[in-house]
Amino acid sequence: MAILEVKNLKKSFASTEVIHDISFSMEEGETISIIGSSGSGKTTLLRCLNFLETPDAGVIAVRDEVLFDGSVSGAMQEEAIRRRRLHFGLVFQSFNLFPQYTALENVTLAPKLLCRENKNLEPEKILARAKELLSEMGLSERMENYPHELSGGQQQRVAIARALALNPDILCFDEPTSALDPELTGEVLRVIKELAENNTTMIIVTHEMSFAHDVSDKVIFMDKGVIAEEGTPEEVIDHPNNERTIRFLSNYKNGNQ
């Protein structure tokens, strides 16, 4: 059974249609990488899935629960949006950590806010879970450090721990290494690869083609707001059929991306 079903998703800004009739599904434990040129709609798709943007049309369903149905009129209330976001964890390009909080505080902040609404959540367990996640990220000695005291790679690993702290159904990455120096990229990619090996369900927007090839069960190539090609890494990256995919990968190999 699919954990995520996306059907005919559309989103426009003013008169510009950014994504058009996007449809795909994924299984639990699967990793999907989304590749494509800048401006192809990859980040907008992630933002729609995480309800940072409201789609204009289409359907988003997680575990057979319809989270969004564009055929139903009426704006979603903020409480409903917050609840639906809990199905997804999003790791941003530029970390987006709160500078006034330590690494540990950044990871516990959202669960503690939920704790106020859900009395079944226990602060002690939230703290223990945050420490466990930071340890898994190799940051057991950095829990009390503030973001400015951490390297970019360490900050991104804190951001990954923060996204995991809410136990999302699907973990999303928006070009997680684009703000990192090349020497720090590897440490973040290793963490993501370990998550994939542990069957974490993930959607990764990336320009790291070799990484996408190694870590993904499925690759989606987006071009001008549509899915131009979809398949295994071997099908899409090694042996693409679509002319736009072939041109993109050729440009990438030639260093033009």
Side-chain angles (χ1 to χ4, degrees):
M1 183 181 71
I3 188 173
L4 173 67
E5 291 274 1
V6 177
K7 298 178 182 178
N8 307 115
L9 210 65
K10 298 181 181 181
K11 178 63 182 178
S12 297
F13 296 103
S15 60
T16 303
E17 191 171 53
V18 181
I19 56 175
H20 177 74
D21 274 344
I22 296 290
S23 297
F24 69 95
S25 64
M26 67 185 306
E27 303 296 322
E28 188 160 8
E30 191 173 40
T31 295
I32 292 179
S33 287
I34 303 177
I35 63 173
S37 302
S38 297
S40 60
K42 307 182 302 295
T43 294
T44 298
L45 172 58
L46 279 194
R47 290 179 64 85
C48 286
L49 293 177
N50 284 269
F51 295 95
L52 296 174
E53 302 287 352
T54 302
D56 298 323
V59 174
I60 300 172
V62 174
R63 300 190 188 279
D64 288 335
E65 177 189 356
V66 176
L67 305 183
F68 175 81
D69 186 346
S71 66
V72 179
S73 61
M76 285 187 289
Q77 298 297 314
E78 184 61 33
E79 181 180 350
I81 291 174
R82 286 202 308 271
R83 181 177 60 81
R84 293 169 191 190
R85 280 179 185 156
L86 293 176
H87 291 281
F88 299 89
L90 179 59
V91 179
F92 298 89
Q93 295 182 33
S94 53
F95 324 137
N96 286 16
L97 299 178
F98 293 103
Q100 71 272 34
Y101 297 130
T102 65
L104 185 59
E105 289 169 337
N106 265 281
V107 176
T108 59
L109 182 62
K112 283 182 176 178
L113 290 174
L114 281 179
C115 189
R116 298 177 185 176
E117 302 175 8
N118 185 347
K119 301 304 181 184
N120 292 324
L121 297 175
E122 301 176 22
E124 296 80 8
K125 290 185 178 180
I126 290 172
L127 184 61
R129 173 64 172 157
K131 289 181 177 180
E132 178 186 5
L133 286 168
L134 286 169
S135 294
E136 289 175 3
M137 296 296 126
L139 296 169
S140 56
E141 304 299 320
R142 295 288 190 172
M143 294 186 189
E144 299 304 325
N145 287 97
Y146 290 89
H148 74 273
E149 299 173 317
L150 303 172
S151 71
Q154 290 169 338
Q155 289 184 60
Q156 191 62 297
R157 283 182 279 153
V158 173
I160 295 170
R162 179 179 61 181
L164 288 168
L166 292 173
N167 298 312
D169 292 296
I170 301 159
L171 185 59
C172 302
F173 293 88
D174 186 11
E175 297 184 17
T177 61
S178 65
L180 299 177
D181 294 333
E183 63 189 43
L184 299 177
T185 295
E187 65 186 60
V188 172
L189 295 182
R190 280 194 297 274
V191 167
I192 299 173
K193 190 171 184 178
E194 287 172 4
L195 291 171
E197 290 170 352
N198 290 325
N199 296 319
T200 304
T201 309
M202 295 187 290
I203 300 174
I204 307 169
V205 168
T206 183
H207 283 116
E208 303 278 349
M209 292 300 113
S210 60
F211 173 71
H213 188 287
D214 291 343
V215 80
S216 306
D217 299 292
K218 184 189 299 182
V219 174
I220 290 173
F221 171 67
M222 288 185 64
D223 182 68
K224 297 180 180 178
V226 302
I227 293 177
E229 192 160 357
E230 176 180 356
T232 66
E234 291 75 17
E235 290 168 338
V236 176
I237 296 177
D238 293 341
H239 305 288
N241 290 314
N242 186 285
E243 181 58 37
R244 286 178 288 182
T245 316
I246 294 170
R247 188 165 59 248
F248 167 78
L249 291 170
S250 175
N251 288 337
Y252 182 87
K253 291 173 183 176
N254 291 331
N256 295 326
Q257 288 295 326

